[in-house]
Amino acid sequence: MLPPSLLVSLSLLLLLPLPTWPLSYPANFITQKLDGRLDPASPVITRFPPEPNGCLHLGHSKALFFNSWLATLHPGSHWRMRLDDTNPLKESPAHAASILEDVDWLTGSSTGGPTGSSFLSPVTYTSDYFEEIYAAAEELTARGLAYVDFSSPEELKKSRGTLTSPGVPSSYRSTAGTPEGVADNLGHLAKMRAGTYPDGHCVLRARINLASPNLNLRDPVLYRIRHSSHPRTGDKYPIYPMYDFSHPISDSLERVTNSLCTLEFEDHRPLYDWVLQNLQSPEASASSPLAGYPTPEQTEFSRLNLAYTVMSKRKLAQLVEQGVVAGWDDPRLPTLSGLRRRGYTPGSLRLLCERCGVSKSDSVTDIADLENAAREDLDKSARRAFFVEEPLAVKVVGGGGGGAVEAPGHPKDPSFGSRTLPVSDSLFIARGDFVDGTKESGALPKGYKRLALDQPVRLRHLGIATVASVERDGGGEPVSVSVTLDKSEDAKAPGAIHWCDAATSVPCEVRQYDRLFKAESPGKETGEFLDDLNPDSVVLTAGRLEASAALACVSHLGSDAKYPSDLRFQFERMGYYVMDDDATPEKLVFNRVVTLRDTWGKPKEGAKPAAERRRGAGGGGTAQQSAAEKEDAQRVKIVAGTVLEASAHPNSDALKILSVNLGEAEPRTIVAKLGEGYDTSSLGRVLVAANLKPSKLAGVESSGMILTSYAADNYDSFELLRPVDGAENGAMCAFDGFDMQPDEVLKSKGAVKCWQRVLEKLNVDADGNVRYGEEALMRMGGEVVKSGKKSALVG
C-alpha cells in the first residue's frame, strides 16, 4: 500500500520501485518482476554479457547477482557467462581475464561465495557465433529486410532524421526489396565479408521504419567493416556485427529465456524483438540460424548508481591515466578489483544489492549504504586484533609485566577460538589514548575516559594501568609512560583501551582510506569531476600489530590462498582492515575497509539529523516548513495547459502521446500512462510539471509530466488535476507562503530528488483542493487548483 502522502505522476507510474530480492524471495517474485510471463515449472536461463574493454565495477555486481540468483529458482535453470567481443579495437585478453577473475570472486565459483550458482561451463564469447550471426545477416538481406548502404557517415547520420523529424531513405534503400536489389546486396555483403572494401566504405543496415519515433528502428547498422585482428578469431573476419544485432542472436542460440538489461537498453528492445521475429518467423528460410531456437524476452531494470564516486568507464580511465589513483585496482575505486583489494566481501556487495532491490526507477545509492553493508558482514566474519597507531611506549613497573593473556578471536563467535597476547614489561598504547594532564587541572576533554596523569584506564584483557611517572623529551613532550598494573577482578577504571606488547608486536603500515570524492555528485557544481577530489582520501599510518595477527598474515601469504585480501580483521576500537596486495612477510600492509561507525560528515553538536537536513522538518503548517523544504517547493514549476491531441504510443498499449499547449511557441510532446480504455477525448485542461529534464518513455521523448488524482482505495480510477477556470496556458501554480523561484530545468540527480520530495507532500483534501503538506495550498491566479475527485491522493 502506498503511503497516503505519496504523489506519483501518470507518466511516472511505469517507474515505481519494485520490491527487493533477498535470496529467500518467494516464488511470486517472477510474477511481480516479469509480469507472469514465465512458467514457474520451466527452467530460467539468464546470461551476463559484459564487454571485455575494461574492468567490472560495482554497477555490474547488481546485474551479476540478479542473473545468477534467478538461475537458482527452478530445476534445470542456469546462467551463462558470455563476453561480448564484437569490437576488436577496444577488447583485449587481459580485460577478459580480469572480468572472469572478478566474476569468479563475486559469485563464489571457486571461493565458496554467496550466490550459490556458478555459471554453466564453458565461458562463451559472441565471437563463437560469428558464422551464425553472418548467416542471419544473409537471411535478412535475402528477404529484403537488410541492405548495403554506401553513404558516408555524415549522410548516414542525416538519413536517420532527428527526434522531431523522420528519417530520409537513401538511394540504396529503395531497391532492397526487389529481386535485383536483393541480388546486389547479397553480392556486396559477400564482398564485405571477403575484405574487398576498405574500412568505412559501406555498412549493412536493417530495413525497418525510417519514420519510427524510436530512432533505434530507423534502419540501424547491423555490420560494419573493420580490418582489425580479433583477439580470438585473428584476421578471419574483416567485418564485425553491431551489439544490437549480435545480442538477440547470441541469446537465442544459448537458449536464454530472459535477457536482463539495464534501463538504457529499454529503447533498444523493439530492435531486439524485430531481429528475433524476422529470424524465427514462418517466412524465414530453413537455413535461418535461429530456426528451432527459442525466443528470449528482454526485461530492463535500473543500474546501481553510487554517490561520492564515478562509475563511467571514461572517468575511471582518466583517474588511472592521470595518476590520480594507483591503477584499476586502487582501493578507492568502485571497480570490483578495487573493492576486493579494499577488503569488501562478496557477501557485503550482495547485501547492498538486496537492499537496493530491482526497480524500473533510476536512483542514486548513498555510499553509506555500501559501508554499512560491509560493517554488517565483517562484524560476523572478521577476526579481532590489536593495532596501535602512533605508538607511545609504556613501561610496566612493580612486577606487573611478563607472561601472556588469552583473548577471544571473536567476541560473538566461539568458533574463532582464542588468541594469545604476550605481555612483557614494555608495551605500546596509541598516543591519542594518553593525556599529559590531570582531571583537576581541567586538561582532560569532556567525557574523556582514557589514560591521564590522575586517571587510570583498563588495558583490555590485562588489568588496570595507573600512571607512575612520565618521561619527556627536551621539548616537554611525553616519550614514555611508566604504569603500575592491578590485575585484581574488582579493580575499576572509567574506560578501556587496547595495547600491544613491544617485544613481540610487529611494525606495519596502514592505509586509512576514505571516500575518493568529497561531493555526493562529483563535478555537479563545477562541471569537472576532478575538482571534487577528497585530498584526505588516503592517509598512511605506521603502527604495531599484535603477534598472533602478524603470524596469521605471514601464514596466509605462504599459503595457496588466491587473494591477500581474503584475510580481514577488526582492529579493535578502530575499524575493519584487510591485508593489502603489497604486503610481504617482511613488511605487512593493511587497508582500512570502513570505520566501526559511520562518522563521515557527522553533523556538529546540536545539528539536526541527516534525514531532517536533507528533507526538512516535515509536518504541516507553512510556519513550520524548514528552509530546505521551502527551497524544494520553490524550485518546481507546475503550469496550466491544454491537450491539443492524444495518439497511441507505437511501442506501448498503456502509454499515450499527448500534444500539450503550455503557452509556448510550440506544443510540448508529453508521454503519459493513461491505460488502454481511457477516453482521450475528455482530456482538455491539465496541470503539467514543466521543468523536469526530458526523458524517454518506451522510445519517445517526453518533455513534461501530467498530474492526476485518484481515490485512496482505487488506484485504477483516476482523473486529471485541472487548473482553475480562466487560467491561461502556461500560468504557473504557487504555494501559499512560498516565493516561487523555479529552476529552468531540474536536470541534475539532486534536483530530481527535490521534485520527488515535493511529490511526497502533495495531496488532495476532502474538498478537492490541492495542498502541499497540510496548509500550503496550490494556487493559480488567486484561486485554489482543484482535482476532479474528492478524498483522493495525487498522482
Side-chain angles (χ1 to χ4, degrees):
M1 179 67 179
L2 294 173
S5 63
L6 185 65
L7 177 97
V8 183
S9 119
L10 289 174
S11 57
L12 274 185
L13 290 180
L14 287 179
L15 305 179
L16 284 176
L18 297 171
T20 56
W21 46 283
L23 294 183
S24 59
Y25 211 98
N28 66 2
F29 167 85
I30 290 295
T31 302
Q32 293 175 354
K33 291 293 180 298
L34 303 177
D35 300 334
R37 295 188 292 268
L38 289 182
D39 179 0
S42 300
V44 175
I45 302 174
T46 61
R47 83 289 175 272
F48 179 61
E51 182 179 3
N53 65 348
C55 295
L56 298 185
H57 55 65
L58 182 62
H60 292 101
S61 64
K62 179 178 177 179
L64 186 53
F65 281 134
F66 189 24
N67 276 282
S68 60
W69 177 76
L70 279 176
T72 66
L73 291 181
H74 305 136
S77 298
H78 60 263
W79 65 281
R80 290 185 174 274
M81 179 69 227
R82 182 171 76 234
L83 292 167
D84 171 44
D85 56 344
T86 57
N87 189 347
L89 296 182
K90 293 184 177 181
E91 290 137 15
S92 72
H95 286 141
S98 170
I99 288 172
L100 294 178
E101 181 178 36
D102 289 341
V103 170
D104 178 78
W105 172 72
L106 197 60
T107 62
S109 301
S110 66
T111 59
T115 66
S117 172
S118 60
F119 56 82
L120 181 70
S121 295
V123 175
T124 60
Y125 296 78
T126 301
S127 57
D128 294 338
Y129 311 116
F130 275 174
E131 286 298 323
E132 290 85 350
I133 297 169
Y134 180 76
E138 288 186 311
E139 169 73 22
L140 295 178
T141 304
R143 291 167 53 199
L145 297 175
Y147 61 98
V148 177
D149 196 324
F150 291 85
S151 301
S152 67
E154 294 75 19
E155 291 170 334
L156 283 174
K157 182 177 180 181
K158 185 177 180 180
S159 75
R160 298 188 69 189
T162 67
L163 292 174
T164 57
S165 62
V168 178
S170 72
S171 59
Y172 306 99
R173 186 183 201 272
S174 58
T175 60
T178 67
E180 296 80 5
V182 166
D184 286 345
N185 283 315
L186 285 173
H188 291 313
L189 180 59
K191 290 181 179 179
M192 290 172 63
R193 166 72 185 265
T196 305
Y197 299 132
D199 286 5
H201 189 64
C202 57
V203 295
L204 180 71
R205 297 178 70 180
R207 184 168 172 259
I208 307 179
N209 181 6
L210 286 172
S212 172
N214 186 337
L215 269 64
N216 294 292
L217 296 180
R218 295 185 185 179
D219 289 15
V221 174
L222 304 183
Y223 261 98
R224 77 284 207 196
I225 302 173
R226 188 155 287 172
H227 289 271
S228 299
S229 183
H230 188 279
R232 299 187 72 247
T233 61
D235 297 325
K236 182 177 181 180
Y237 300 97
I239 59 172
Y240 295 93
M242 303 298 289
Y243 177 77
D244 278 348
F245 185 48
S246 63
H247 175 202
I249 297 171
S250 301
D251 282 350
S252 182
L253 291 172
E254 293 186 341
R255 301 189 179 277
V256 167
T257 61
N258 291 88
S259 176
L260 305 173
C261 304
T262 46
L263 284 176
E264 64 264 32
F265 290 98
E266 186 173 27
D267 292 343
H268 298 248
R269 190 201 317 155
L271 177 55
Y272 183 97
D273 294 338
W274 182 89
V275 171
L276 293 174
Q277 289 164 4
N278 283 287
L279 292 174
Q280 297 174 330
S281 68
E283 292 78 18
S285 67
S287 60
S288 171
L290 298 191
Y293 283 89
T295 302
E297 184 166 1
Q298 179 174 307
T299 304
E300 304 83 21
F301 60 94
S302 62
R303 65 169 59 239
L304 176 58
N305 299 306
L306 193 68
Y308 293 100
T309 191
V310 293
M311 284 196 284
S312 155
K313 282 186 179 179
R314 177 184 62 80
K315 292 179 178 178
L316 291 172
Q318 187 175 343
L319 290 170
V320 174
E321 292 164 2
Q322 294 185 8
V324 177
V325 294
W328 286 98
D329 65 345
D330 188 290
R332 293 166 292 175
L333 290 182
T335 57
L336 293 187
S337 55
L339 291 167
R340 178 174 64 243
R341 186 174 178 183
R342 173 73 173 264
Y344 283 94
T345 63
S348 63
L349 300 188
R350 184 193 67 181
L351 184 59
L352 173 72
C353 292
E354 289 177 359
R355 289 172 174 172
C356 291
V358 179
S359 167
K360 295 285 279 188
S361 176
D362 265 328
S363 60
V364 178
T365 298
D366 195 325
I367 196 171
D369 294 334
L370 170 64
E371 293 167 347
N372 286 332
R375 290 185 186 96
E376 185 169 331
D377 188 68
L378 291 172
D379 179 58
K380 302 173 185 176
S381 60
R383 64 185 71 190
R384 276 30 176 184
F386 286 162
F387 172 80
V388 172
E389 59 180 345
E390 298 184 45
L392 175 66
V394 172
K395 298 178 181 178
V396 180
V397 297
V405 294
E406 295 295 310
H410 193 298
K412 304 173 185 177
D413 189 345
S415 67
F416 280 77
S418 62
R419 63 190 206 267
T420 300
L421 303 176
V423 183
S424 68
D425 290 339
S426 296
L427 309 175
F428 288 119
I429 65 171
R431 180 63 185 82
D433 284 340
F434 171 69
V435 169
D436 189 19
T438 64
K439 189 186 308 182
E440 184 177 348
S441 67
L444 275 60
K446 183 179 180 181
Y448 183 80
K449 296 182 179 181
R450 287 163 281 173
L451 186 65
L453 294 180
D454 61 347
Q455 179 169 284
V457 73
R458 179 177 293 279
L459 300 181
R460 287 174 58 82
H461 311 298
L462 184 55
I464 304 299
T466 302
V467 175
S469 63
V470 178
E471 180 182 344
R472 298 178 173 84
D473 61 17
E477 288 296 315
V479 295
S480 176
V481 177
S482 296
V483 301
T484 59
L485 276 180
D486 184 349
K487 299 181 180 180
S488 61
E489 294 184 2
D490 57 351
K492 304 294 182 182
I497 62 175
H498 61 282
W499 52 277
C500 278
D501 178 59
T504 58
S505 62
V506 175
C508 58
E509 177 184 291
V510 167
R511 298 164 182 176
Q512 310 279 16
Y513 285 110
D514 209 329
R515 302 171 185 184
L516 183 57
F517 294 94
K518 58 188 178 183
E520 181 177 358
S521 300
K524 175 185 174 183
E525 299 298 329
T526 66
E528 175 50 65
F529 76 103
L530 294 176
D531 291 343
D532 290 322
L533 285 169
N534 174 16
D536 299 321
S537 62
V538 58
V539 176
L540 300 181
T541 301
R544 307 281 296 198
L545 179 67
E546 69 169 69
S548 68
L551 287 172
C553 291
V554 173
S555 175
H556 187 79
L557 290 171
S559 70
D560 59 356
K562 194 165 186 179
Y563 305 109
S565 55
D566 287 340
L567 189 61
R568 304 173 183 89
F569 296 91
Q570 184 197 98
F571 290 170
E572 298 192 30
R573 299 177 60 227
M574 293 182 61
Y576 294 98
Y577 291 78
V578 64
M579 188 163 59
D580 184 70
D581 291 354
D582 290 341
T584 66
E586 294 74 31
K587 182 183 179 182
L588 297 179
V589 180
F590 295 89
N591 300 325
R592 181 170 68 188
V593 189
V594 286
T595 56
L596 290 178
R597 297 178 182 83
D598 181 11
T599 57
W600 199 91
K602 186 177 180 180
K604 296 180 180 179
E605 186 174 352
K608 293 180 179 180
E612 289 193 24
R613 297 198 309 275
R614 288 194 298 267
R615 295 183 176 269
T622 302
Q624 296 174 331
Q625 302 289 339
S626 72
E629 280 186 304
K630 281 195 173 185
E631 180 183 356
D632 287 340
Q634 289 166 342
R635 296 173 65 184
V636 303
K637 185 178 182 181
I638 300 175
V639 300
T642 301
V643 177
L644 303 178
E645 184 181 0
S647 59
H649 195 293
N651 303 320
S652 172
D653 293 334
L655 295 176
K656 305 296 180 185
I657 300 177
L658 310 179
S659 176
V660 185
N661 181 359
L662 295 182
E664 300 168 331
E666 298 289 339
R668 289 204 192 187
T669 298
I670 298 177
V671 180
K673 185 176 182 181
L674 300 177
E676 297 180 49
Y678 197 85
D679 181 10
T680 55
S681 65
S682 65
L683 289 173
R685 304 302 307 284
V686 292
L687 288 178
V688 176
N691 64 337
L692 299 179
K693 181 182 178 181
S695 61
K696 287 185 179 180
L697 291 175
V700 178
E701 186 170 74
S702 178
S703 298
M705 180 187 298
I706 305 293
L707 301 185
T708 185
S709 65
Y710 49 92
D713 59 351
N714 185 3
Y715 294 101
D716 296 323
S717 176
F718 60 83
E719 294 187 18
L720 302 180
L721 294 188
R722 308 287 186 181
V724 295
D725 292 340
E728 296 182 358
N729 291 328
M732 188 175 69
C733 294
F735 297 110
D736 278 0
F738 290 77
D739 178 19
M740 304 304 290
Q741 301 174 13
D743 290 15
E744 181 178 352
V745 180
L746 292 172
K747 60 183 179 180
S748 70
K749 292 177 181 177
V752 172
K753 288 183 178 180
C754 149
W755 169 248
Q756 292 170 342
R757 292 192 290 268
V758 171
L759 292 182
E760 293 177 2
K761 294 186 70 65
L762 282 176
N763 60 87
V764 178
D765 66 17
D767 296 322
N769 301 321
V770 179
R771 296 179 178 273
Y772 180 74
E774 296 180 9
E775 297 181 8
L777 296 172
M778 186 188 294
R779 293 185 175 272
M780 180 175 287
E783 297 184 65
V784 177
V785 175
K786 293 189 177 183
S787 100
K789 194 180 290 290
K790 294 184 179 181
S791 301
L793 306 180
V794 175

